[in-house]
Amino acid sequence: MEKNSSKCSSSGSSPTKGGGGEREMFHVIHKVPSGDGPYVRAKHAQLVQKDPEAAIVWFWKAINAGDRVDSALKDMAVVMKQLDRTEEAIEAIKSFRGRCSKHAQESLDNVLIDLYKCGRVDEQILVLRQKLRMIYQGEAFNGKPTKTARSHGKKFQVSIKQETSRILGNLGWAYMLKTNYMAAEVVYRKAQMIDPDANKACNLGLCLIKQARYEEARSVLEDVLQSRLPGCEDIKSRNRADELLLDLESRQPPHVISNLMGLNLDDELLDGLDQIERKWAPLRPRRLPIFEEISNYKDQLAC
């Protein structure tokens, strides 16, 4: 892997000059951490000089020097992805995450999930299922009910309930990419029980359309258009629901029944999802009809 380059810096001087107040204002404006180590120089190259290649070199130096390794590895992977060096970013995280703290592992998993969207769907599914396992075993968020997340420079609190629904939504889409529509339906319905929103409803509607279950799909999409779910005010979700309904209208009634053979969800994951559902959706039936259908099918196979 690339670890050295002549583009390390335009000079050997500190990223910032001037008096203490001036330097402090510089850090606030550019969101660059204070200091003079390799990690600070990496962030300066990334955010101020807008030189991602130089930033990667300095991130490597920070990792090798043990300077803010948690942040350096994560930030370097993000910059690599921006440069279409996704495979290199994946290998970097796999090779060097052992140098990171325990608290950084969940964040690194989130970066990996995003990187795996390049086409490595099977690996994405494995990481998502592992994150769900951590949730229903009480290990996510380092055992805390919420965590602080950051988006576009702003911090906000995320509950374990919201995180679970987000992970289920990502897992559902991964199963959609594998054309495993029944597995996708199971996790989308669980996600909607825990923390419903319009975007996942549209994905569930598409999943049902793919299974030729048009009336069920229509009902789900109508919930979006009738503003019965959080996020229905988002114009993108409403437009997507409209487009899916138009697509639905052009289709013919189904000629075949969905095949359960492609489900490919093991008992451990189903039991884990049941635990999550019982915790956050206590007023719902223990299992959706589709879960009973799955159980009956497995019983038939066992006979």
Side-chain angles (χ1 to χ4, degrees):
M1 288 185 180
E2 177 185 4
K3 298 187 182 181
N4 294 293
S5 169
S6 60
K7 296 180 67 177
C8 293
S9 175
S10 57
S11 70
S13 61
S14 171
T16 59
K17 297 181 181 180
E22 185 179 337
R23 285 198 300 271
E24 201 61 39
M25 184 60 67
F26 178 90
H27 294 310
V28 171
I29 293 173
H30 295 283
K31 296 183 174 60
V32 177
S34 59
D36 195 30
Y39 178 73
V40 172
R41 290 176 178 271
K43 296 302 289 184
H44 186 269
Q46 177 192 1
L47 300 174
V48 180
Q49 297 175 330
K50 308 296 183 183
D51 188 344
E53 294 287 356
I56 289 173
V57 172
W58 279 110
F59 281 132
W60 273 125
K61 288 179 178 291
I63 293 168
N64 290 328
D67 180 19
R68 308 190 202 189
V69 179
D70 293 0
S71 297
L73 182 57
K74 183 177 69 172
D75 292 349
M76 183 178 72
V78 171
V79 174
M80 284 179 169
K81 184 190 176 190
Q82 293 169 351
L83 296 176
D84 293 325
R85 293 164 61 176
T86 303
E87 295 295 331
E88 187 178 350
I90 291 171
E91 292 309 312
I93 291 178
K94 287 183 174 181
S95 299
F96 291 91
R97 69 183 305 168
R99 299 191 185 186
C100 297
S101 68
K102 180 181 178 181
H103 296 297
Q105 300 304 317
E106 283 190 51
S107 294
L108 291 172
D109 281 339
N110 289 334
V111 175
L112 272 179
I113 289 168
D114 188 49
L115 293 170
Y116 284 147
K117 291 177 182 177
C118 67
R120 297 170 67 162
V121 182
D122 289 332
E123 290 164 288
Q124 185 184 20
I125 288 173
L126 286 175
V127 177
L128 289 166
R129 289 172 62 147
Q130 174 60 30
K131 288 180 75 68
L132 284 174
R133 189 174 296 110
M134 290 177 64
I135 287 172
Y136 62 71
Q137 290 177 348
E139 299 172 4
F141 291 10
N142 298 303
K144 299 178 181 178
T146 63
K147 73 172 182 178
T148 301
R150 184 187 295 271
S151 178
H152 304 294
K154 295 182 179 180
K155 292 182 179 180
F156 57 95
Q157 291 295 307
V158 177
S159 70
I160 195 74
K161 180 178 177 180
Q162 292 170 319
E163 179 72 354
T164 303
S165 182
R166 184 188 70 83
I167 292 171
L168 286 170
N170 286 337
L171 182 60
W173 189 251
Y175 281 129
M176 290 285 286
L177 294 175
K178 297 287 290 183
T179 66
N180 191 344
Y181 301 123
M182 183 164 283
E185 180 190 353
V186 169
V187 294
Y188 274 136
R189 288 193 184 278
K190 288 291 186 182
Q192 290 297 80
M193 284 183 172
I194 293 168
D195 191 30
D197 65 51
N199 180 57
K200 290 192 293 290
C202 288
N203 288 340
L204 175 58
L206 175 61
C207 178
L208 293 167
I209 290 172
K210 292 291 186 180
Q211 297 179 74
R213 291 160 59 188
Y214 302 136
E215 289 308 310
E216 292 175 75
R218 187 190 307 280
S219 176
V220 170
L221 296 172
E222 287 291 347
D223 284 343
V224 177
L225 296 177
Q226 298 298 322
S227 299
R228 296 173 185 144
L229 298 168
C232 290
E233 69 281 358
D234 179 34
I235 190 63
K236 291 183 178 179
S237 293
R238 296 184 69 85
N239 287 344
R240 187 165 179 235
D242 273 327
E243 291 170 2
L244 288 170
L245 277 173
L246 286 174
D247 178 53
L248 189 155
E249 297 294 344
S250 68
R251 294 173 181 264
Q252 297 298 316
H255 297 290
V256 295
I257 299 175
S258 297
N259 188 354
L260 284 166
M261 291 297 288
L263 182 62
N264 194 27
L265 285 177
D266 56 48
D267 288 330
E268 181 190 4
L269 180 59
L270 291 174
D271 290 341
L273 293 177
D274 276 343
Q275 290 179 37
I276 293 170
E277 181 189 341
R278 286 195 297 273
K279 183 175 182 180
W280 288 314
L283 299 180
R284 305 266 187 169
R286 181 175 182 274
R287 279 183 177 249
L288 288 163
I290 188 172
F291 275 72
E292 300 302 334
E293 189 178 358
I294 293 165
S295 298
N296 292 338
Y297 178 74
K298 288 188 172 182
D299 290 342
Q300 293 173 17
L301 290 180
C303 294

